[in-house]
Amino acid sequence: HVSRYGGVDVVVNNAGVGDGDGSVAAGDLAVRVNLGAVIAGTKLAERHMARQPAPACPNASGRRGTVINVASTGGLWPMPHAPVYAATKAAVLMFTRSAAPALLASSGVVCCALAPTYTQNTGMGDVIAAHPDGAALVREATRGAGLAKLSHVVDGVEALVDGGQPGQALVCVPGQHLTWHWSARKDKAAKRSERALAALSL
């Protein structure tokens, strides 16, 4: 891509496998794919983005590119049927939050995260929905909200490309995009998001 087009503006690190058969080997694979690949992809993106000039448009603010790490709502609340998956997605969120300040300061790269629920027309969402206990698993994983539409998740990606903030985690549940706020200082929008997420967490 870089050799053909001369640079890269957006990288979406979207890697995800489940707990498999629950073995040590399956867990190790989940950690390497879900977390290790995201870390490697972020570092590779930074290497290329840091070399290119910042866009001249007024809204760029010196930003050379955007990295979006796809996590999951499983990284925000427990998923008893997939504990290793949930742990890796929580790690993706914390990696993103921790790496974002330095990426912006040293390379002009905005690093943020998207945390969707299980999603229709995707590999993992379809596998879970087809499981004999699929309805119960979907309720557990989405707090009863149901599967998100793929188009809604794509809208979340576009929202982060257009205006994502360093370290931001945008939660994508059916019909809503909600920012997960890390700071104890919350404005009215943050409090609304917090109440909506709390309602899903019950």
Side-chain angles (χ1 to χ4, degrees):
H1 182 94
V2 173
S3 60
R4 174 175 292 185
Y5 297 106
V8 58
D9 298 313
V10 178
V11 169
V12 179
N13 289 314
N14 184 25
V17 296
D19 287 28
D21 60 5
S23 65
V24 172
D28 180 65
L29 176 64
V31 171
R32 287 188 287 115
V33 172
N34 298 0
L35 178 60
V38 167
I39 294 172
T42 300
K43 293 183 178 295
L44 184 62
E46 181 195 15
R47 183 192 311 169
H48 289 288
M49 289 176 177
R51 298 172 181 167
Q52 58 195 29
C57 60
N59 295 330
S61 302
R63 301 180 181 189
R64 292 184 170 86
T66 300
V67 174
I68 300 171
N69 294 326
V70 180
S72 167
T73 53
L76 299 172
W77 51 58
M79 289 178 63
H81 67 275
V84 177
Y85 175 84
T88 61
K89 292 302 185 176
V92 168
L93 290 169
M94 189 52 67
F95 167 72
T96 301
R97 183 189 180 196
S98 300
L103 286 170
L104 183 66
S106 64
S107 305
V109 174
V110 174
C111 184
C112 44
L114 183 71
T117 62
Y118 282 142
T119 305
Q120 297 173 359
N121 302 317
T122 62
M124 185 165 290
D126 293 343
V127 167
I128 292 295
H131 190 277
D133 298 322
L137 296 178
V138 169
R139 282 196 301 272
E140 176 186 273
T142 68
R143 294 303 184 267
L147 296 174
K149 292 182 178 180
L150 183 57
S151 60
H152 189 60
V153 176
V154 172
D155 288 343
V157 172
E158 292 179 348
L160 290 174
V161 170
D162 291 339
Q165 298 301 307
Q168 179 182 2
L170 188 65
V171 180
C172 183
V173 296
Q176 298 183 83
H177 290 142
L178 304 164
T179 294
W180 182 266
H181 292 272
W182 308 101
S183 173
R185 298 176 59 189
K186 299 181 176 69
D187 58 18
K188 291 182 179 179
K191 291 178 180 178
R192 285 196 298 271
S193 291
E194 187 178 69
R195 286 194 296 270
L197 288 165
L200 290 170
S201 301
L202 296 177

